[in-house]
Amino acid sequence: MPLVKAGFVVLDCAEPEKLAVFYRELLEAEQTEATANRVEIRSADGTRLAFRRDMNARPPSWPRPENSVQAHLDFVVDDLDETERRIVGLGGRPMEAKDTPGLYEERRYADPAGHSFTLRRVAPTAPKQG
């Protein structure tokens, strides 16, 4: 029997209920637990996130060095444009306007509380047909 039964990425924020709604909608996840100071969600693919109340939380300042990236999330998607529209509609904001060239196309965003996350689209490795 494993000693560790579940792992979460925990984001500190002033309003965990509101931030949980943003990620629950983005990931089409379900809320699994909620207390006065913490909300947990799990998506269908098993991604587990928790949001902890910290009344003194300040958003990371990436790319500036002061209070810069403390942690960030990466999400793999099929359609960057469609996902970006959903993020903006849920209250997130783009942090970089251009795609990163290469095998992985990436775009960076901030959630409503200012935490950074990245969308990645893995380019197909098979030759294009037709």
Side-chain angles (χ1 to χ4, degrees), residues 39-93:
V39 179
E40 297 176 1
I41 65 169
R42 181 177 50 228
S43 69
D45 75 351
T47 300
R48 301 176 106 171
L49 298 175
F51 311 93
R52 183 179 66 172
R53 187 176 316 281
D54 177 352
M55 297 311 295
N56 297 314
R58 285 192 279 179
S61 60
W62 185 90
R64 296 182 315 271
E66 67 278 358
N67 197 32
S68 65
V69 176
Q70 298 144 357
H72 79 275
L73 306 170
D74 282 347
F75 298 110
V76 177
V77 301
D78 290 324
D79 188 324
L80 289 167
D81 293 331
E82 179 180 347
T83 308
E84 179 172 295
R85 285 189 293 275
R86 182 170 183 125
I87 289 166
V88 171
L90 292 169
R93 63 180 167 79

Side-chain angles (χ1 to χ4, degrees), residues 102-121:
L103 179 62
Y104 301 101
E105 294 178 56
E106 295 183 346
R107 294 184 191 168
R108 289 180 180 78
Y109 300 87
D111 67 26
H115 303 101
S116 63
F117 64 95
T118 302
L119 297 183
R120 289 187 339 167
R121 189 179 80 77

